[in-house]
């Protein structure tokens, strides 16, 4: 009896926390498809605000997608080999390099952006291009890719796999592509989803680095809340949720599959 009461209280508390988090998001989504938010749902349902967001801010949405994909490409090309090298080499130097790579996790995004501005702000064309934001996103998301891949390496005998492939004459490149990467696929996929999700939603760092011609989705979202009707801003939030929620669900699914394995 006591266990049932405890479970019921815990379940009720969980529902209250979930409602506390979900209700504001639900109200924001509802506002984005309501003709007049202040009159409520009885004013009618419409997609005109979503269409208006696309007309006004389509460039920011496309820019965010391109930057997220570019960030993913760089973190894959650099992060996966780096994780492999750090795990195989080991030692103090490898641990030091790992700490340097993961340092952005402990530094506010605004501080990283300020450091980039002080270092590279004088390069005019680079400063004004989307590549400047891409560089910031790579620095910010690289630790998540490296950590995800290294976590998978920790669960398998990488050295034995590598030595076994070498014993049959496989070159280092073939061993990495044909043996290491397939075994690290769950970590690579989880890291990839995390990188894309974080890049799409990153605001602090991007806000400092962007120019009027290089706005991303979160910056456009803040701009819409500051200067447009509430319905338009809420419709923008709806578009953001449509992009992010499938990625979050995929991350949850991968995490559950990894736990079951």
């Amino acid at each position: 009896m006591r266990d049932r009461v405890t479970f019921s209280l815990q379940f009720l508390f969980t529902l209250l926390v979930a409602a506390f988090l979900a209700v504001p998001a639900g109200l924001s989504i509802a506002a984005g498809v309501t003709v007049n938010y202040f009159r409520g749902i009885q004013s009618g349902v419409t997609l005109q605000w979503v269409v208006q967001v696309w007309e006004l801010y389509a460039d920011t949405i496309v820019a965010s997608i391109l930057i997220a994909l570019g960030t993913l490409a760089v973190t894959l090309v650099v992060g996966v080999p780096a994780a492999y090298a750090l795990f195989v080499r080991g030692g103090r130097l490898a641990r030091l390099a790992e700490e340097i790579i993961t340092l952005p996790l402990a530094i506010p995004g605004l501080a990283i952006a300020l450091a980039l501005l002080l270092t590279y702000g004088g390069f005019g064309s680079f400063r004004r291009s989307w590549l400047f934001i891409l560089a910031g996103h790579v620095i910010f998301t690289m630790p998540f890719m490296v950590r995800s891949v290294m976590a998978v390496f920790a669960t398998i005998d990488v050295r034995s796999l590598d030595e076994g492939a070498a014993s049959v004459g496989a070159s280092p490149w073939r061993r990495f592509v044909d043996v290491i990467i397939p075994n690290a696929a769950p970590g690579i996929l989880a890291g990839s989803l995390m990188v894309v999700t974080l890049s799409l939603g990153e605001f602090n760092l991007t806000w400092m680095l962007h120019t009027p011609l290089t706005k991303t989705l979160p910056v456009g979202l803040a701009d819409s809340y500051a200067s447009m009707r509430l319905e338009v801003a809420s419709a923008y939030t709806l578009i953001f949720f449509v992009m992010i929620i499938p990625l979050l669900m995929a991350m949850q699914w991968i995490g559950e599959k990894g736990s079951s394995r």
Side-chain angles (χ1 to χ4, degrees):
M1 181 66 180
R2 183 177 179 181
D3 291 339
R4 292 186 61 182
V5 172
T6 301
F7 173 78
S8 298
L9 291 175
Q10 291 174 339
F11 184 69
L12 178 61
F13 177 75
T14 303
L15 288 179
L16 290 174
V17 172
F20 180 79
L21 297 174
V23 168
L27 291 176
S28 180
I29 292 173
V33 294
T34 302
V35 173
N36 189 310
Y37 172 74
F38 297 100
R39 290 176 54 197
I41 198 69
Q42 63 267 22
S43 64
V45 177
T46 180
L47 292 177
Q48 63 173 319
W49 309 121
V50 176
V51 174
Q52 189 171 339
V53 167
W54 184 257
E55 292 174 348
L56 294 173
Y57 297 102
D59 57 333
T60 68
I61 298 171
V62 173
S64 277
I65 294 173
L66 293 177
I67 290 174
L69 293 177
T71 302
L72 174 61
V74 176
T75 53
L76 283 173
V77 172
V78 178
V80 176
Y84 174 62
L86 291 173
F87 186 84
V88 171
R89 296 294 179 184
R92 293 182 179 179
L93 187 60
R95 287 196 296 271
L96 177 61
E98 183 181 350
E99 292 300 322
I100 293 174
I101 291 174
T102 57
L103 191 60
L105 296 177
I107 300 176
L110 292 176
I112 297 174
L114 180 60
L116 288 172
L117 286 170
L118 292 175
T119 307
Y120 304 110
F123 298 88
S125 57
F126 178 54
R127 170 69 183 91
R128 293 188 296 269
S129 73
W130 62 271
L131 292 173
F132 197 49
I133 298 177
L134 175 65
H137 282 211
V138 168
I139 293 173
F140 177 71
T141 59
M142 185 66 75
F144 296 94
M145 177 63 76
V146 173
R147 287 288 191 179
S148 296
V149 176
M150 291 187 69
V152 173
F153 285 156
T155 64
I156 59 178
D157 193 349
V158 176
R159 291 183 177 85
S160 295
L161 291 173
D162 190 57
E163 291 171 359
S167 66
V168 295
S171 65
W173 171 252
R174 299 305 305 176
R175 298 200 302 267
F176 180 72
V177 172
D178 295 337
V179 178
I180 302 303
I181 288 182
N183 280 278
I188 294 173
L189 183 56
S192 298
L193 290 170
M194 197 173 299
V195 165
V196 172
T197 302
L198 290 171
S199 179
L200 286 174
E202 167 53 37
F203 173 75
N204 292 332
L205 185 148
T206 310
W207 181 78
M208 283 280 287
L209 298 181
H210 89 282
T211 69
L213 298 178
T214 57
K215 287 184 179 180
T216 62
L217 191 154
V219 176
L221 179 59
D223 179 70
S224 69
Y225 270 104
S227 60
M228 304 296 294
R229 285 186 55 160
L230 180 63
E231 293 88 350
V232 175
S234 297
Y236 205 146
T237 303
L238 173 59
I239 293 175
F240 181 74
F241 281 148
V242 168
M243 295 174 62
I244 290 294
I245 288 178
L247 294 174
L248 295 177
M249 293 176 63
M251 289 174 58
Q252 179 70 23
W253 180 79
I254 290 174
E256 292 176 353
K257 293 290 287 185
S259 298
S260 64
R261 289 182 64 188

